[in-house]
Amino acid sequence: MKVLFLYLCVAVKHYRHHAIALLFLCVLHFSSTAAEAAKVLIVGDIKYAFVAGVAADIQLTVRSQVKEFAVSEVRGQLAATVEREGAEVVVALGADAVHEALRLPPSIAVVYGLVVVPPRSARANVTGVYMSPPVSEYVATVRRYLPALSKISVVGSQAMLRSLTGGDYAQVSAYSVNSSSDLANTVNRLADAKSLLLLPDSNLLTAPVMSSVYLFSFRNNIPVLGISEANVKQGSLFALVFDPKAVSRQIGEKVQTILNGVDAGELPDSSPKRYNLYINSNTAQKMGVVIPDEMLKKARRIYQ
C-alpha cells in the first residue's frame, strides 16, 4: 500500500510537469501567433530598394503590427493572406499591387501608393496618395517665379487631364490626345504657347516622341515643364517630383486614421504634400529665361 501511494505521488508529479509543459507550449504558441498576426499588410515589389524604403517609412508612422509581402507571394491569393493574418488594412504599393488589392472584399480597407494617378475603380473603402503633381502645382510655381511663362499648354490623354486638372481648364490650355503620334502632331501646332506640360503617360511619352518634343521646344523657344528628374536632365526647364518620405508619411497617416475607426472611403485621394524641385539652368540660359534666386535656392538639384 505504501509502495502504491509513493507510485501515485510520482505519477501525479510526473504528469503535473507534463501538464505545465503543455500549458507553457500552448501559451508560447498563442503568443507567437499573436505576435505574428498583423493588422496592416504592405504589398509591393519590395525587392527594389526604393519600394522597400517607402514601406519602411510607412511603418514608422503606423502604430500597429505590420507585415510586408512581395506581390509575387500573394498574387491570386491576397484575400486568403488577409484572412489568415486577420488584417484590417492593405497598403498596395505600385500598379501590380493595386490591381491585386482592388479585388479584395470591400470590408478590407485599401490604401494605395506609388502610382501616377488615382486608380479607376468603383470599389468602396479605398484611398491613397498618387505621385504626380496636379497641374495646379505647376501653375502656382510658374505664377510665383516665372510669370512670363504663365500660359501653360497641357497635353495628355483624357484620363490624365481628368485626374490631374479636375476638369478645370480655366488657367491652362488643355489638349486631349489619344496616341503618341497624336501627341507629337498636337505639340507641333502649339507654336504660340508660353510653356508646355506633358502629362505622365508611358503609352504616349515614348523616346521618339520626347525627342520630337524637345526639338520643337528649342526651335520655338518654348520651355517644357518636366515630370521627372530625368526630364530635367534631358532638357526640361524644371520639374516637380514627389518626395518619397513625405508620401510615405502621408500613406502611414491615412492607415493610422483608418485603424482609429475612419472608413477609407471618407478619406479623399491625395496628391503629394511636398515636391522636390529640379532645374536645368542651361535650358534657361538658351531660352532666355531668368530663374530668380529664390527659385534656385529651393531646388534640390540644378543641372547645367
Side-chain angles (χ1 to χ4, degrees), residues 198-221:
L198 307 184
L199 298 184
D201 190 325
S202 57
N203 294 322
L204 300 180
L205 303 184
T206 62
V209 165
M210 292 308 298
S211 294
S212 172
V213 168
Y214 284 121
L215 183 61
F216 167 86
S217 170
F218 283 98
R219 279 180 175 174
N220 294 276
N221 230 35

Side-chain angles (χ1 to χ4, degrees), residues 19-223:
I20 292 172
L22 182 61
L23 179 61
F24 175 76
L25 289 175
C26 288
V27 171
L28 184 63
H29 174 72
F30 177 80
S31 299
S32 175
T33 303
E36 291 175 359
K39 285 188 175 183
V40 180
L41 304 186
I42 297 179
V43 180
D45 287 325
I46 54 178
K47 63 182 177 181
Y48 297 110
F50 175 76
V51 180
V54 170
D57 287 337
I58 291 172
Q59 292 193 50
L60 294 176
T61 309
V62 177
R63 300 187 301 274
S64 186
Q65 184 68 22
V66 179
K67 272 191 176 181
E68 297 179 6
F69 291 90
V71 179
S72 57
E73 291 182 84
V74 297
R75 183 170 282 113
Q77 44 191 326
L78 181 55
T81 305
V82 169
E83 184 176 357
R84 183 182 71 243
E85 296 292 338
E88 299 176 16
V89 183
V90 170
V91 178
L93 300 178
D96 287 347
V98 171
H99 176 73
E100 292 293 323
L102 291 180
R103 297 162 60 189
L104 290 169
S107 58
I108 304 301
V110 172
V111 181
Y112 66 79
L114 300 189
V115 291
V116 176
V117 294
R120 299 180 66 183
S121 172
R123 183 189 188 277
N125 208 12
V126 58
T127 186
V129 182
Y130 55 94
M131 297 185 296
S132 185
V135 172
S136 59
E137 290 289 341
Y138 283 91
V139 171
T141 301
V142 168
R143 278 185 169 180
R144 180 172 182 179
Y145 300 114
L146 306 167
L149 308 179
S150 59
K151 187 61 177 177
I152 304 175
S153 294
V154 181
V155 184
S157 66
Q158 187 60 45
M160 286 289 175
L161 287 170
R162 185 167 51 246
S163 296
L164 297 176
T165 65
D168 181 8
Y169 304 153
Q171 300 177 5
V172 301
S173 297
Y175 300 87
S176 175
V177 295
N178 300 313
S179 65
S180 55
S181 59
D182 188 14
L183 187 150
N185 291 333
T186 298
V187 167
N188 285 328
R189 294 196 298 269
L190 300 178
D192 293 331
K194 297 298 182 182
S195 56
L196 181 64
L197 173 62
L198 307 184
L199 298 184
D201 190 325
S202 57
N203 294 322
L204 300 180
L205 303 184
T206 62
V209 165
M210 292 308 298
S211 294
S212 172
V213 168
Y214 284 121
L215 183 61
F216 167 86
S217 170
F218 283 98
R219 279 180 175 174
N220 294 276
N221 230 35
I222 300 174

